[in-house]
Amino acid sequence: MKIAVVYNRESQAVINLFGTQNREKYGLETIRLIREGLKKGGHEVKTFEGDKNLIQNLEDFMPSVISGERPGLVFNLSYGIQGRGRYMHVPGMLEMLGIPYVGSGPETHALALDKVVTKILLMQQGLPTPKFAVLDKPDSPLRENLTYPLIVKPKDEAVSFGLKIVHNEDELREGVKVIYETYNEPTLVEEYIEGREVNVALIGNNPVEALPPVELVFGEGPQIYTFEDKKNQSGRTVEKVCPAPLSDEETERVKELAVQTFNALHCHDSARVDFRIDRDGNPYILEVNSMASLGADGSLVFAADKLGMDYAALVNRLIDVTCERYFGKDFFDQESHEMNTTADKLFKRLTTTRGRLEDELKSWTNLSSRTEDAVGLSSVRKRLEERLAKLSLKEVPKLTNGRSAWTWETKAGLKGGTLLVVPIDVPGKRTGYPLSFRKEQEWIYGEGVASSRAGITTALAALKALKDDKKLAGTKTGVFFYADEGRGMRYSSAMLEKAASEAADVIVMQPGFVEGKVVDQRRGSREYHIIAEGDPERVGRKSEPLDVLTWFLDQTASLRELSSRRKKIAVSVQDIQSERYSVLMPHRVTATIAVTYLDDKLAEQAEEQMKKLFRPGRTGMKTYIEQITARPPLRQKKSHPILERLEHWAKAYQLPFGTESSLLATASGAVPDGTPCICGFAPASRRLYTPDEAMHRSELVQRAVLLALYLQEEPT
């Protein structure tokens, strides 16, 4: 699964920097150990700072999951950047975003970070903790009857900041003054328990497991674990002993108290409870660390190692207990997740490589290949051929013209199998710089990302998944790719018709619609080039009949009458240009007119009426009409074997699926009527063929999964 390790170290990326600054930082070596340990567990891991850019980074790394796909998860190491509630910042953001994370929630961190509130909760639960008082300022009176020596420490800090033993009133006031001036917060004063210090780390939830207690042996100097000790600045080495040399009764007692404390504060996944044990063997709870250190010398890591759990095993154990908490006990159950069938393996293979899929899409999108760009098209074609060759596909010379259309097939051949149809050109002329590739939570943007690149990526991903499972060679599959979508397939349609006649069915990798809808009906289109020529006229001269431009515009206005929503036919002017001499009126007008339709007879009738409309309007005027492209429609069929199989697999793996009709003509129209065909199998798009073209992000993996399932075998 995808795991984002989130920490705070260097970044101070916030809108304003003020207030209490965080003094706690994870070392780079610890972050590296966690990352490498998670990778050993088979996870895809990235690290991020827990700053204001976190939301965008997580959106980019772990988009919304599809049904049945394991979601992304955050391994939270974040102590926050600033503020008294800094431990709560990242967990609060993650809960807002709906992202599971390792560790306790913001409410638990709020309780554990406030040592006074923690002690009050412990007392309410009847759990032993040293007697205490709170001094707001250095001169605040100490009203509680406490016995020296005492411990002073900041009320809301961790890592032993400001921790000190005081033996009399003067030392007490000096310690409180230092804390007040350094941390600007009240001081917790509690009775010092002379004896031994023991830590108990905990892992799990329901039930939570207490690890063997760890005793801290301080040697010379103060018998407390100071900040200087933790940072190796005290000049002494604090020895850890695990299991702590306690009696069986004492061991069980501190472990039981640790579990009760864990539950009292509603901790999750892991924590550490610190104890002092007096000379009579009575344990006292000092505090709760709701983010137990994963540093190599921390008590949690030390105790886990004594149980035979190395670092990689420990961090992956934390992932397991977190997933169990969020998704149930059977989430990692081997039987429920055992991949028994090819379909199961394909689903897992593709849903666990989403990041690589998006990287692949980016690499294709960054290759420009507009329809008029011969060099760019050649680069894309060569790269696609290299990829197909690596998948052990071979070119089919009789179904390739080498200029605008190419067909490749698996070892089992195309005949009687499935033909995937993929455009490699991006229609339209480039104006300015191309739109750069970028990702949002739901959409991915880039030049041709929906009209071409998503289809290429989806097809290759499905084929590679089949090859990795050693199933591709035996599937009857072909790939037809062409380079003149922007020209209406003027040169490649005949070759596609020939290739499609070899196949049992055809899937066209053009954009579909959101919610997993493919296209089972598309209108056909015909494009006409019209030229009208007349004599040049002076501006302002009264002429009868009208000059050629005015006459032409009058005729185009009548085209609207040829359109009918009810009859599913539309006639429109797509482009118009004029030529003139100096200040004279235009003497030549050229235009492109498009007709979209479902009924061939209606299209022919519209063509005849259009020819009548553009007959010369006066003596000396000439008109020419030429059909430049003709793309037949894709019509709905009552019984559709492709849709039936796709629906089967979509239901089996809870993938969104449906059908829709479209007004745009595509390569599907060139497929012979007797060959089952669907279109719109590439991810859904928006703003298609515009500079803001985008494809639906989640559908990239959804479509790859569904295509692989479809190709691998007939459903039972």
Side-chain angles (χ1 to χ4, degrees):
M1 67 192 308
K2 284 193 171 187
I3 298 179
V5 178
V6 177
Y7 60 92
N8 289 105
R9 183 168 172 82
E10 303 297 338
S11 175
Q12 292 185 325
V14 293
I15 294 176
N16 293 302
L17 194 63
F18 65 90
T20 304
Q21 301 300 301
N22 175 36
R23 295 177 174 86
E24 298 177 75
K25 291 183 179 181
Y26 259 103
L28 292 176
E29 177 62 15
T30 300
I31 295 170
R32 185 192 69 80
L33 286 172
I34 293 171
R35 182 179 64 245
E36 296 306 313
L38 293 172
K39 286 183 177 179
K40 285 183 179 179
H43 302 291
E44 182 181 353
V45 186
K46 283 192 176 182
T47 58
F48 302 103
E49 286 263 7
D51 56 22
K52 69 181 180 67
N53 301 313
L54 180 60
I55 292 178
Q56 180 61 49
N57 289 332
L58 292 178
E59 284 183 342
D60 182 58
F61 179 55
M62 49 176 65
S64 302
V65 297
I66 67 175
S67 180
E69 181 186 5
R70 291 182 177 179
L73 183 143
V74 166
F75 199 107
N76 181 35
L77 305 174
S78 174
Y79 293 124
I81 294 175
Q82 61 185 359
R84 296 199 183 280
R86 56 191 177 275
Y87 275 36
M88 293 85 85
H89 294 168
V90 165
M93 292 169 64
L94 297 175
E95 294 202 354
M96 178 188 70
L97 296 173
I99 298 177
Y101 59 92
V102 175
S104 296
E107 69 285 352
T108 295
H109 291 312
L111 298 174
L113 193 58
D114 188 324
K115 296 178 175 60
V116 173
V117 172
T118 298
K119 291 174 76 69
I120 291 171
L121 285 172
L122 295 176
M123 292 171 65
Q124 289 177 340
Q125 295 286 326
L127 301 175
T129 186
K131 293 171 61 178
F132 72 98
V134 179
L135 299 184
D136 292 328
K137 296 180 180 180
D139 58 356
S140 296
L142 180 62
R143 295 188 175 92
E144 287 76 4
N145 184 22
L146 302 182
T147 303
Y148 287 99
L150 302 174
I151 292 285
V152 294
K153 49 189 169 183
K155 170 177 171 286
D156 298 322
E157 291 293 339
V159 200
S160 300
F161 288 129
L163 181 68
K164 185 178 181 181
I165 300 177
V166 298
H167 299 85
N168 53 52
E169 178 75 13
D170 290 342
E171 290 183 3
L172 170 65
R173 296 302 167 183
E174 179 61 27
V176 176
K177 180 182 178 182
V178 170
I179 289 172
Y180 183 77
E181 292 177 350
T182 304
Y183 304 102
N184 191 29
E185 63 179 78
T187 299
L188 170 65
V189 182
E190 67 180 6
E191 290 188 343
Y192 171 68
I193 306 299
E194 188 173 351
R196 306 161 69 181
E197 184 152 332
V198 170
N199 298 337
V200 178
L202 303 109
I203 297 177
N205 293 288
N206 189 20
V208 59
E209 175 189 0
L211 275 58
V214 176
E215 181 173 2
L216 306 182
V217 181
F218 300 107
E220 299 295 329
Q223 297 299 293
I224 56 174
Y225 204 15
T226 65
F227 174 74
E228 290 74 18
D229 289 327
K230 294 180 179 180
K231 296 301 179 182
N232 297 316
Q233 298 171 357
S234 65
R236 66 177 180 177
T237 299
V238 177
E239 182 185 357
K240 293 184 175 68
V241 179
C242 182
L246 304 172
S247 67
D248 291 345
E249 182 179 348
E250 289 173 329
T251 297
E252 290 306 312
R253 178 60 175 154
V254 293
K255 290 173 72 172
E256 178 186 359
L257 288 173
V259 170
Q260 290 176 341
T261 303
F262 186 96
N263 292 330
L265 270 68
H266 303 290
C267 296
H268 292 316
D269 307 330
S270 72
R272 190 190 75 236
V273 180
D274 298 342
F275 292 87
R276 294 289 291 194
I277 302 178
D278 68 16
R279 296 185 182 277
D280 297 325
N282 299 312
Y284 293 86
I285 301 166
L286 299 181
E287 60 183 72
V288 180
N289 190 322
S290 57
M291 291 183 64
S293 172
L294 287 170
D297 58 349
S299 294
L300 172 58
V301 176
F302 191 75
D305 183 67
K306 296 301 180 182
L307 288 177
M309 193 184 305
D310 65 14
Y311 202 92
L314 171 61
V315 294
N316 283 287
R317 173 62 180 154
L318 292 175
I319 295 297
D320 289 356
V321 299
T322 301
C323 289
E324 181 179 307
R325 172 167 61 88
Y326 277 102
F327 311 116
K329 291 185 177 181
D330 63 345
F331 186 77
F332 283 106
D333 180 70
Q334 292 301 314
E335 184 177 349
S336 64
H337 287 287
E338 189 175 357
M339 300 290 109
N340 292 319
T341 67
T342 298
D344 290 334
K345 293 175 184 177
L346 291 171
F347 182 88
K348 181 181 179 182
R349 194 182 300 280
L350 286 164
T351 56
T352 55
T353 57
R354 185 198 292 254
R356 289 196 287 273
L357 266 180
E358 293 186 354
D359 289 343
E360 172 93 349
L361 176 66
K362 180 178 180 179
S363 68
W364 284 108
T365 304
N366 288 339
L367 286 176
S368 179
S369 61
R370 292 280 177 175
T371 304
E372 307 295 333
D373 180 5
V375 174
L377 285 170
S378 178
S379 297
V380 172
R381 174 183 60 81
K382 289 178 180 178
R383 180 180 175 185
L384 183 53
E385 288 177 340
E386 289 173 359
R387 292 296 305 278
L388 294 174
K390 286 183 179 180
L391 293 171
S392 300
L393 273 71
K394 302 292 184 183
E395 188 177 57
V396 186
K398 68 176 183 177
L399 302 177
T400 298
N401 63 25
R403 299 179 302 278
S404 60
W406 300 263
T407 303
W408 288 59
E409 65 182 3
T410 60
K411 289 182 179 179
L414 166 63
K415 192 171 184 63
T418 299
L419 178 66
L420 307 179
V421 180
V422 184
I424 65 170
D425 67 314
V426 179
K429 296 179 180 179
R430 171 173 292 174
T431 56
Y433 291 101
L435 180 70
S436 60
F437 182 92
R438 80 174 193 276
K439 295 186 283 190
E440 293 181 355
Q441 179 68 9
E442 291 190 39
W443 298 92
I444 297 179
Y445 296 81
E447 181 179 291
V449 69
S451 55
S452 170
R453 285 15 186 177
I456 294 173
T457 305
T458 301
L460 290 176
L463 295 175
K464 185 178 186 305
L466 287 165
K467 186 176 190 300
D468 290 344
D469 203 48
K470 298 180 173 54
K471 297 292 181 181
L472 182 59
T475 65
K476 295 182 178 181
T477 305
V479 178
F480 176 92
F481 57 96
Y482 61 101
D484 59 346
E485 175 63 31
R487 296 188 178 96
M489 295 189 73
R490 191 183 311 176
Y491 308 108
S492 62
S493 59
M495 192 59 69
L496 173 56
E497 182 177 1
K498 186 177 179 181
S501 65
E502 296 272 324
D505 51 36
V506 177
I507 296 177
V508 179
M509 306 300 293
Q510 285 279 18
F513 293 88
V514 292
E515 299 179 353
K517 293 180 180 178
V518 299
V519 178
D520 63 345
Q521 178 170 278
R522 284 192 182 274
R523 291 191 186 186
S525 72
R526 299 181 183 184
E527 283 190 344
Y528 299 88
H529 190 59
I530 298 180
I531 301 176
E533 294 180 330
D535 296 327
E537 301 286 352
R538 291 196 300 273
V539 177
R541 177 182 177 183
K542 185 177 181 180
S543 60
E544 196 63 42
L546 299 172
D547 63 88
V548 66
L549 177 59
T550 304
W551 173 84
F552 191 90
L553 294 176
D554 285 347
Q555 306 311 108
T556 56
S558 301
L559 289 176
R560 287 193 295 268
E561 299 175 5
L562 304 181
S563 299
S564 172
R565 182 183 294 271
R566 180 177 61 83
K567 296 180 180 180
K568 295 182 173 60
I569 186 169
V571 182
S572 59
V573 179
Q574 289 189 312
D575 185 34
I576 184 168
Q577 296 178 349
S578 64
E579 297 178 37
R580 64 184 178 85
Y581 300 122
S582 188
V583 298
L584 300 180
M585 294 293 289
H587 62 277
R588 178 183 289 113
V589 176
T590 60
T592 302
I593 295 178
V595 178
T596 63
Y597 65 95
L598 275 180
D599 190 319
D600 293 323
K601 291 182 178 179
L602 292 177
E604 291 173 6
Q605 291 174 9
E607 180 178 334
E608 291 301 318
Q609 291 176 289
M610 191 166 49
K611 289 178 179 179
K612 292 178 181 178
L613 275 175
F614 289 100
R615 285 175 181 168
R618 62 179 170 84
T619 304
M621 183 182 293
K622 298 178 182 178
T623 59
Y624 309 90
I625 299 179
E626 177 188 11
Q627 185 183 98
I628 51 177
T629 64
R631 309 188 78 170
L634 172 66
R635 298 184 180 90
Q636 288 177 334
K637 293 178 172 57
K638 292 182 179 180
S639 177
H640 208 306
I642 302 180
L643 293 179
E644 292 171 3
R645 285 175 59 188
L646 289 174
E647 188 173 10
H648 166 88
W649 290 117
K651 285 182 178 179
Y653 286 87
Q654 301 179 51
L655 299 169
F657 185 72
T659 57
E660 185 64 88
S661 60
S662 174
L663 301 178
L664 294 177
T666 66
S668 58
V671 177
D673 283 340
T675 303
C677 174
I678 63 155
C679 192
F681 199 87
S685 69
R686 68 177 180 182
R687 300 169 188 162
L688 193 62
Y689 305 128
T690 73
D692 293 326
E693 181 174 301
M695 58 138 281
H696 199 277
R697 189 175 181 185
S698 295
E699 291 196 3
L700 185 63
V701 66
Q702 290 171 359
R703 289 303 195 211
V705 167
L706 190 55
L707 182 59
L709 294 174
Y710 181 87
L711 294 175
Q712 52 103 20
E713 63 180 353
E714 289 282 350
T716 57

